[in-house]
Amino acid sequence: MAAAGTVLLANTGIYLHTTLHGKLRIWGRELEQADLKGDERLLDLGCGRGAVLIEAARRLPTGHAVGVDLWSGKDQSGNRPEVTLANAAAAGVADRVEVRTADMTALPFADGSFDVVTSALAIHNIPSPEARYRAVDEAMRVLRPGGRLIVADFWPMARKYAAHLGQGTLRGLGPGYWYGGPWLGVTLLHAVKGR
């Protein structure tokens, strides 16, 4: 009983650290390593309250960051477009952030509209494998030639997206992005659209 309690407590601590600090620090690092010039158009799939969207917008002084999500009043975290926009305003990036209601499997953007597409733990929420692959295909469709797809998802999913695309590099993001332990670790997929 004591061992089970200790494991549960440790898992809770790891989860809270990841949610409150780890994922933000890791996305900050990943966006720095992406060598953004600052004028890119970036799309964040499943942007939620805007954590990745806002981190990206901070690095786009002359660019633009668009977040898409399917907003739901039933969402446990209070995801609503107004909340995301308020978070962007509080971070001082409201002038370069836009949010739209959109389905990742049928994005309302023209081919080649974005330089970078990001997604953080969102694509796996799509119920069917076929629809998840359609979302990955849509992300690639809206990228310009040479544009980059940067997706963080649980490792089995990220591997499947890379296999579906037939390309991309995969890298585990480590304990800072664990949700309870290594069995719920997050992997980064980085893919480049061909020219």
Side-chain angles (χ1 to χ4, degrees):
M1 194 79 152
T6 301
V7 168
L8 182 60
L9 189 59
N11 285 346
T12 302
I14 292 168
Y15 177 88
L16 288 172
H17 174 268
T18 294
T19 300
L20 299 174
H21 304 290
K23 69 180 181 183
L24 299 174
R25 192 169 26 250
I26 287 171
W27 269 104
R29 179 191 74 207
E30 295 304 322
L31 289 166
E32 281 299 317
Q33 291 176 357
D35 290 326
L36 300 173
K37 293 178 291 198
D39 62 351
E40 289 88 352
R41 283 186 45 84
L42 180 141
L43 175 65
D44 186 35
L45 303 177
C47 69
R49 297 170 67 104
V52 175
L53 182 69
I54 291 165
E55 279 298 314
R58 286 184 171 125
R59 293 160 175 80
L60 302 173
T62 60
H64 194 70
V66 179
V68 297
D69 212 322
L70 291 175
W71 313 99
S72 168
K74 300 175 192 148
D75 189 284
Q76 65 185 0
S77 65
N79 287 348
R80 294 187 322 275
E82 310 82 49
V83 172
T84 305
L85 292 172
N87 289 341
V93 296
D95 60 327
R96 50 203 142 155
V97 167
E98 173 187 346
V99 294
R100 305 258 306 261
T101 300
D103 183 339
M104 286 185 262
T105 66
L107 294 169
F109 305 107
D111 296 0
S113 298
F114 295 93
D115 301 294
V116 180
V117 175
T118 59
S119 184
L121 290 174
I123 298 172
H124 77 268
N125 290 317
I126 299 170
S128 75
E130 297 79 18
R132 288 191 290 271
Y133 297 145
R134 196 163 48 251
V136 171
D137 291 339
E138 277 289 278
M140 293 301 277
R141 178 186 66 77
V142 301
L143 278 172
R144 65 164 176 75
R148 293 172 285 166
L149 176 66
I150 305 170
V151 174
D153 217 326
F154 295 116
W155 65 268
M157 297 298 191
R159 285 185 9 206
K160 290 176 183 178
Y161 308 151
H164 172 74
L165 291 173
Q167 67 137 322
T169 59
L170 295 166
R171 182 169 39 87
L173 293 175
Y177 220 143
W178 286 355
Y179 281 91
W183 51 88
L184 282 178
V186 175
T187 293
L188 189 81
L189 165 64
H190 183 260
V192 177
K193 184 172 182 175
R195 297 195 180 266

